[in-house]
Amino acid sequence: MDPSVEWNWVLLAYGLTYGALVLFTTSIAIRITKARKKLAGSA
Amino acid sequence: MTSPEQSELSPSSVWPWVVMAVAGLVTFVAAMSVSPDAVQGQLSRIMYVHVPAAWLAYLAFGITMFGSAMYLWKKSLKWDRLAHSSAEIGVFFTGLAIALGMTWAKPTWGVWWTWDARLTLTAIMFFVYLGYLALRRTTDNLEVRAKRASILGVVAIIQVPLVHFSVVWWRSLHQAPTIIRPEGPDMDTSMVVTLLIAVASFTVMYVAMMIKRMELAHLEDEITIEEQSHQGPAAGDAVVAPDLAGGV
Protein backbone atom coordinates (compact mmCIF):
# COMPACT_ATOMS: atom_id res chain seq x y z
CA MET A 1 0.00 0.00 0.00
CA ASP A 2 1.19 3.51 -0.81
CA PRO A 3 2.61 5.16 2.39
CA SER A 4 0.51 8.28 1.77
CA VAL A 5 -2.63 6.12 1.76
CA GLU A 6 -1.44 4.44 4.97
CA TRP A 7 -0.98 7.87 6.56
CA ASN A 8 -4.57 8.75 5.60
CA TRP A 9 -5.82 5.76 7.63
CA VAL A 10 -3.54 6.72 10.54
CA LEU A 11 -4.86 10.28 10.38
CA LEU A 12 -8.44 8.97 10.43
CA ALA A 13 -7.71 6.74 13.45
CA TYR A 14 -6.00 9.49 15.46
CA GLY A 15 -8.60 12.07 14.46
CA LEU A 16 -11.27 9.66 15.65
CA THR A 17 -9.44 8.99 18.94
CA TYR A 18 -8.68 12.56 19.91
CA GLY A 19 -11.97 13.90 18.54
CA ALA A 20 -13.92 11.36 20.61
CA LEU A 21 -11.79 12.04 23.70
CA VAL A 22 -12.39 15.80 23.44
CA LEU A 23 -16.15 15.31 22.96
CA PHE A 24 -16.45 12.85 25.85
CA THR A 25 -14.42 14.91 28.33
CA THR A 26 -16.26 18.08 27.24
CA SER A 27 -19.58 16.35 27.88
CA ILE A 28 -18.42 15.50 31.43
CA ALA A 29 -17.29 19.10 31.98
CA ILE A 30 -20.60 20.52 30.70
CA ARG A 31 -22.65 18.12 32.84
CA ILE A 32 -20.59 19.06 35.93
CA THR A 33 -21.13 22.78 35.25
CA LYS A 34 -24.89 22.29 34.75
CA ALA A 35 -25.20 20.14 37.89
CA ARG A 36 -23.29 22.70 39.98
CA LYS A 37 -25.51 25.52 38.68
CA LYS A 38 -28.63 23.50 39.44
CA LEU A 39 -27.48 22.73 42.98
CA ALA A 40 -26.39 26.32 43.58
CA GLY A 41 -29.83 27.50 42.37
CA SER A 42 -31.73 25.18 44.66
CA ALA A 43 -29.64 26.00 47.75
CA MET B 1 -32.40 7.02 52.00
CA THR B 2 -28.63 7.06 52.00
CA SER B 3 -27.32 10.50 51.18
CA PRO B 4 -24.06 11.16 49.37
CA GLU B 5 -21.26 11.15 51.92
CA GLN B 6 -20.16 14.70 51.13
CA SER B 7 -23.03 17.17 51.31
CA GLU B 8 -21.14 20.43 50.74
CA LEU B 9 -19.95 21.32 47.26
CA SER B 10 -16.18 21.36 47.06
CA PRO B 11 -14.52 23.47 44.32
CA SER B 12 -14.02 21.64 41.03
CA SER B 13 -10.34 20.86 40.43
CA VAL B 14 -8.70 21.63 37.10
CA TRP B 15 -5.69 19.32 37.31
CA PRO B 16 -7.47 16.14 36.04
CA TRP B 17 -8.15 17.95 32.74
CA VAL B 18 -4.47 18.90 32.50
CA VAL B 19 -3.42 15.31 33.25
CA MET B 20 -5.75 14.01 30.51
CA ALA B 21 -4.28 16.45 27.96
CA VAL B 22 -0.68 15.57 28.90
CA ALA B 23 -1.41 11.81 28.77
CA GLY B 24 -2.97 12.23 25.33
CA LEU B 25 0.02 14.23 24.14
CA VAL B 26 2.52 11.65 25.45
CA THR B 27 0.68 8.86 23.59
CA PHE B 28 0.64 10.86 20.37
CA VAL B 29 4.35 11.79 20.51
CA ALA B 30 5.38 8.20 21.37
CA ALA B 31 3.20 6.70 18.61
CA MET B 32 4.50 9.09 15.97
CA SER B 33 8.16 8.71 16.99
CA VAL B 34 8.49 4.92 16.69
CA SER B 35 9.54 3.28 13.40
CA PRO B 36 6.75 1.77 11.27
CA ASP B 37 6.20 -2.00 11.09
CA ALA B 38 8.07 -3.88 8.33
CA VAL B 39 4.87 -5.52 7.02
CA GLN B 40 2.01 -3.15 7.91
CA GLY B 41 3.97 0.07 7.46
CA GLN B 42 2.41 3.24 8.92
CA LEU B 43 -0.84 1.37 9.64
CA SER B 44 0.86 -0.21 12.67
CA ARG B 45 0.60 3.18 14.41
CA ILE B 46 -3.13 2.54 14.87
CA MET B 47 -2.12 -0.17 17.37
CA TYR B 48 -0.91 2.50 19.85
CA VAL B 49 -4.44 3.80 20.33
CA HIS B 50 -6.48 0.67 19.54
CA VAL B 51 -4.79 -1.59 22.15
CA PRO B 52 -4.84 1.00 25.00
CA ALA B 53 -8.54 1.70 24.28
CA ALA B 54 -9.31 -2.04 24.51
CA TRP B 55 -7.21 -2.32 27.70
CA LEU B 56 -9.13 0.55 29.30
CA ALA B 57 -12.41 -1.17 28.43
CA TYR B 58 -11.24 -4.24 30.37
CA LEU B 59 -9.93 -2.14 33.27
CA ALA B 60 -13.06 0.01 33.46
CA PHE B 61 -15.41 -2.97 33.50
CA GLY B 62 -13.20 -4.65 36.11
CA ILE B 63 -13.56 -1.54 38.30
CA THR B 64 -17.33 -1.58 37.64
CA MET B 65 -17.43 -5.17 38.93
CA PHE B 66 -15.37 -4.19 41.99
CA GLY B 67 -17.57 -1.16 42.77
CA SER B 68 -20.72 -3.23 42.25
CA ALA B 69 -19.53 -6.03 44.55
CA MET B 70 -18.51 -3.49 47.19
CA TYR B 71 -21.94 -1.83 46.98
CA LEU B 72 -23.71 -5.15 47.47
CA TRP B 73 -21.50 -5.79 50.49
CA LYS B 74 -21.29 -2.33 52.13
CA LYS B 75 -24.50 -0.70 50.77
CA SER B 76 -22.68 2.62 50.42
CA LEU B 77 -23.60 4.72 47.39
CA LYS B 78 -19.99 5.81 46.88
CA TRP B 79 -19.27 2.29 45.52
CA ASP B 80 -22.24 2.53 43.18
CA ARG B 81 -20.94 5.85 41.91
CA LEU B 82 -17.54 4.26 41.30
CA ALA B 83 -19.18 1.42 39.34
CA HIS B 84 -21.41 3.79 37.34
CA SER B 85 -18.59 6.19 36.46
CA SER B 86 -16.30 3.38 35.38
CA ALA B 87 -19.04 1.71 33.31
CA GLU B 88 -19.68 4.92 31.35
CA ILE B 89 -15.97 5.36 30.65
CA GLY B 90 -15.73 1.66 29.76
CA VAL B 91 -18.54 1.96 27.24
CA PHE B 92 -16.79 4.96 25.71
CA PHE B 93 -13.49 3.10 25.33
CA THR B 94 -15.18 -0.08 24.06
CA GLY B 95 -16.88 1.96 21.36
CA LEU B 96 -13.58 3.68 20.57
CA ALA B 97 -11.72 0.33 20.40
CA ILE B 98 -14.37 -1.02 18.00
CA ALA B 99 -14.23 2.10 15.81
CA LEU B 100 -10.41 2.02 15.73
CA GLY B 101 -10.44 -1.71 15.01
CA MET B 102 -12.70 -1.04 12.02
CA THR B 103 -10.37 1.72 10.82
CA TRP B 104 -7.47 -0.75 11.02
CA ALA B 105 -9.45 -3.67 9.55
CA LYS B 106 -10.51 -1.94 6.33
CA PRO B 107 -6.99 -1.36 4.92
CA THR B 108 -5.54 -4.65 6.29
CA TRP B 109 -8.42 -7.19 6.05
CA GLY B 110 -10.31 -5.42 3.27
CA VAL B 111 -13.54 -5.16 5.29
CA TRP B 112 -14.80 -2.77 7.98
CA TRP B 113 -16.43 -5.57 9.94
CA THR B 114 -16.58 -9.36 10.02
CA TRP B 115 -18.48 -11.70 12.36
CA ASP B 116 -15.29 -12.95 13.97
CA ALA B 117 -15.48 -14.23 17.59
CA ARG B 118 -13.41 -11.33 19.02
CA LEU B 119 -15.35 -8.65 17.16
CA THR B 120 -18.76 -10.17 17.82
CA LEU B 121 -18.12 -10.70 21.54
CA THR B 122 -16.75 -7.16 21.89
CA ALA B 123 -19.90 -5.78 20.23
CA ILE B 124 -22.06 -7.84 22.60
CA MET B 125 -20.05 -6.53 25.58
CA PHE B 126 -20.57 -2.97 24.32
CA PHE B 127 -24.35 -3.44 24.15
CA VAL B 128 -24.57 -5.23 27.53
CA TYR B 129 -22.85 -2.30 29.26
CA LEU B 130 -25.04 0.15 27.34
CA GLY B 131 -27.87 -1.90 28.88
CA TYR B 132 -26.24 -1.40 32.30
CA LEU B 133 -26.37 2.38 31.77
CA ALA B 134 -29.98 2.13 30.52
CA LEU B 135 -30.97 0.01 33.53
CA ARG B 136 -29.79 2.80 35.82
CA ARG B 137 -32.34 5.14 34.22
CA THR B 138 -35.34 2.94 35.03
CA THR B 139 -35.81 4.32 38.56
CA ASP B 140 -35.00 7.45 40.59
CA ASN B 141 -34.72 5.48 43.82
CA LEU B 142 -30.99 5.53 44.52
CA GLU B 143 -30.92 2.27 46.51
CA VAL B 144 -33.08 0.30 44.08
CA ARG B 145 -31.05 1.64 41.15
CA ALA B 146 -27.76 0.79 42.83
CA LYS B 147 -28.88 -2.74 43.73
CA ARG B 148 -30.16 -3.57 40.23
CA ALA B 149 -27.09 -2.09 38.54
CA SER B 150 -24.69 -3.80 40.96
CA ILE B 151 -26.08 -7.25 40.21
CA LEU B 152 -25.63 -6.66 36.48
CA GLY B 153 -22.23 -5.05 37.09
CA VAL B 154 -21.00 -8.22 38.82
CA VAL B 155 -22.52 -10.68 36.32
CA ALA B 156 -21.44 -8.79 33.18
CA ILE B 157 -17.71 -9.08 33.98
CA ILE B 158 -17.77 -12.65 32.61
CA GLN B 159 -17.57 -11.06 29.16
CA VAL B 160 -14.07 -9.64 29.68
CA PRO B 161 -12.23 -13.01 29.77
CA LEU B 162 -14.53 -14.25 26.99
CA VAL B 163 -13.52 -11.33 24.78
CA HIS B 164 -9.84 -11.54 25.68
CA PHE B 165 -9.39 -15.28 25.21
CA SER B 166 -11.70 -15.54 22.20
CA VAL B 167 -8.68 -15.31 19.89
CA VAL B 168 -7.10 -18.28 21.70
CA TRP B 169 -10.20 -20.45 22.14
CA TRP B 170 -11.64 -20.02 18.63
CA ARG B 171 -10.16 -19.70 15.16
CA SER B 172 -10.05 -15.95 14.60
CA LEU B 173 -9.17 -13.43 11.93
CA HIS B 174 -8.07 -11.13 14.74
CA GLN B 175 -4.45 -11.66 15.73
CA ALA B 176 -3.59 -13.68 18.85
CA PRO B 177 -1.89 -12.02 21.87
CA THR B 178 1.56 -10.66 20.91
CA ILE B 179 2.77 -9.19 24.22
CA ILE B 180 1.45 -11.32 27.11
CA ARG B 181 2.21 -14.87 25.99
CA PRO B 182 4.37 -17.72 27.37
CA GLU B 183 7.13 -17.30 24.74
CA GLY B 184 7.49 -13.54 25.41
CA PRO B 185 6.53 -10.58 23.19
CA ASP B 186 6.51 -11.24 19.45
CA MET B 187 7.33 -7.64 18.55
CA ASP B 188 10.33 -5.38 18.16
CA THR B 189 11.46 -3.91 21.52
CA SER B 190 10.90 -0.31 20.37
CA MET B 191 7.31 -1.16 19.47
CA VAL B 192 6.72 -2.96 22.78
CA VAL B 193 8.10 0.03 24.73
CA THR B 194 5.95 2.47 22.74
CA LEU B 195 2.87 0.33 23.29
CA LEU B 196 3.57 0.16 27.04
CA ILE B 197 3.98 3.97 27.15
CA ALA B 198 0.65 4.34 25.35
CA VAL B 199 -1.08 1.88 27.70
CA ALA B 200 0.38 3.64 30.77
CA SER B 201 -0.66 7.08 29.43
CA PHE B 202 -4.20 5.89 28.73
CA THR B 203 -4.38 4.37 32.22
CA VAL B 204 -3.39 7.72 33.75
CA MET B 205 -6.02 9.35 31.52
CA TYR B 206 -8.61 6.87 32.86
CA VAL B 207 -7.77 7.76 36.48
CA ALA B 208 -8.14 11.49 35.73
CA MET B 209 -11.41 10.85 33.87
CA MET B 210 -12.71 8.81 36.80
CA ILE B 211 -12.03 11.68 39.22
CA LYS B 212 -14.16 14.06 37.13
CA ARG B 213 -16.84 11.47 36.30
CA MET B 214 -17.22 10.57 39.99
CA GLU B 215 -17.52 14.26 40.83
CA LEU B 216 -20.40 14.38 38.33
CA ALA B 217 -22.00 11.22 39.78
CA HIS B 218 -21.86 12.77 43.25
CA LEU B 219 -23.51 15.98 42.01
CA GLU B 220 -26.22 13.98 40.18
CA ASP B 221 -27.03 12.04 43.37
CA GLU B 222 -27.24 15.33 45.29
CA ILE B 223 -29.70 16.71 42.71
CA THR B 224 -31.85 13.55 42.86
CA ILE B 225 -32.02 13.77 46.67
CA GLU B 226 -32.74 17.51 46.50
CA GLU B 227 -35.58 17.00 43.99
CA GLN B 228 -37.09 14.13 45.94
CA SER B 229 -37.07 16.15 49.18
CA HIS B 230 -39.20 18.85 47.49
CA GLN B 231 -41.66 16.48 45.87
CA GLY B 232 -45.11 16.03 47.36
CA PRO B 233 -46.92 12.71 47.17
CA ALA B 234 -47.47 11.39 43.66
CA ALA B 235 -50.98 10.59 42.39
CA GLY B 236 -50.24 6.88 42.40
CA ASP B 237 -49.20 6.92 46.05
CA ALA B 238 -52.84 6.90 47.14
CA VAL B 239 -53.50 3.63 45.31
CA VAL B 240 -53.08 0.63 47.59
CA ALA B 241 -52.47 -2.82 46.16
CA PRO B 242 -55.48 -5.15 46.74
CA ASP B 243 -55.02 -7.60 49.58
CA LEU B 244 -55.90 -10.77 47.67
CA ALA B 245 -54.58 -13.08 50.38
CA GLY B 246 -57.23 -11.79 52.80
CA GLY B 247 -54.74 -10.37 55.25
CA VAL B 248 -52.92 -13.68 55.69
Side-chain angles (χ1 to χ4, degrees):
Chain A
M1 188 181 279
D2 189 328
S4 66
V5 178
E6 289 174 1
W7 273 113
N8 286 343
W9 286 105
V10 173
L11 189 70
L12 175 64
Y14 280 79
L16 202 65
T17 302
Y18 288 94
L21 280 169
V22 166
L23 285 178
F24 183 62
T25 50
T26 305
S27 92
I28 295 175
I30 290 171
R31 285 183 287 166
I32 287 174
T33 308
K34 280 185 177 176
R36 281 183 174 274
K37 272 187 188 167
K38 198 168 185 177
L39 276 173
S42 65
Chain B
M1 181 177 287
T2 312
S3 64
E5 285 67 20
Q6 193 183 345
S7 57
E8 282 185 16
L9 282 181
S10 53
S12 190
S13 51
V14 176
W15 68 265
W17 305 118
V18 178
V19 169
M20 283 181 229
V22 171
L25 188 66
V26 168
T27 305
F28 184 79
V29 171
M32 293 303 144
S33 307
V34 72
S35 300
D37 180 66
V39 178
Q40 291 206 27
Q42 306 299 341
L43 292 173
S44 62
R45 296 187 197 281
I46 299 173
M47 173 176 68
Y48 306 115
V49 279
H50 173 66
V51 174
W55 150 248
L56 279 197
Y58 292 169
L59 175 70
F61 295 147
I63 298 294
T64 296
M65 190 277 291
F66 174 73
S68 300
M70 288 301 288
Y71 174 78
L72 291 173
W73 182 28
K74 299 284 186 186
K75 304 290 181 205
S76 167
L77 285 174
K78 70 177 180 186
W79 295 113
D80 179 55
R81 288 197 290 274
L82 178 82
H84 178 203
S85 303
S86 196
E88 189 180 289
I89 294 173
V91 165
F92 169 75
F93 279 106
T94 308
L96 184 61
I98 292 172
L100 289 171
M102 290 169 75
T103 313
W104 200 0
K106 180 62 179 165
T108 50
W109 297 347
V111 288
W112 292 100
W113 181 265
T114 180
W115 295 103
D116 172 271
R118 168 63 71 86
L119 277 64
T120 307
L121 287 168
T122 307
I124 291 171
M125 183 170 77
F126 177 69
F127 285 112
V128 167
Y129 279 96
L130 269 183
Y132 169 93
L133 296 177
L135 178 67
R136 299 188 63 89
R137 300 174 78 97
T138 56
T139 176
D140 282 339
N141 185 308
L142 296 182
E143 273 80 29
V144 173
R145 185 182 73 183
K147 189 178 176 184
R148 288 176 185 171
S150 296
I151 292 168
L152 181 55
V154 170
V155 173
I157 194 65
I158 189 69
Q159 297 169 103
V160 170
L162 277 177
V163 168
H164 186 72
F165 292 109
S166 58
V167 290
V168 179
W169 293 338
W170 296 289
R171 204 179 305 170
S172 179
L173 186 58
H174 193 285
Q175 71 179 68
T178 43
I179 303 266
I180 303 170
R181 56 190 214 129
E183 306 85 12
D186 184 24
M187 239 198 297
D188 186 76
T189 311
S190 66
M191 294 174 80
V192 173
V193 170
T194 306
L195 187 56
L196 291 177
I197 290 171
V199 165
S201 299
F202 265 57
T203 307
V204 170
M205 197 188 291
Y206 164 79
V207 173
M209 260 183 203
M210 276 295 286
I211 290 167
K212 298 312 287 185
R213 186 58 189 81
M214 283 190 70
E215 179 185 333
L216 174 60
H218 178 78
L219 292 168
E220 286 172 340
D221 280 3
E222 290 262 15
I223 289 170
T224 304
I225 291 166
E226 184 75 23
E227 284 174 350
Q228 285 172 354
S229 69
H230 289 101
Q231 275 173 2
D237 290 349
V239 180
V240 181
D243 185 8
L244 298 176
V248 180

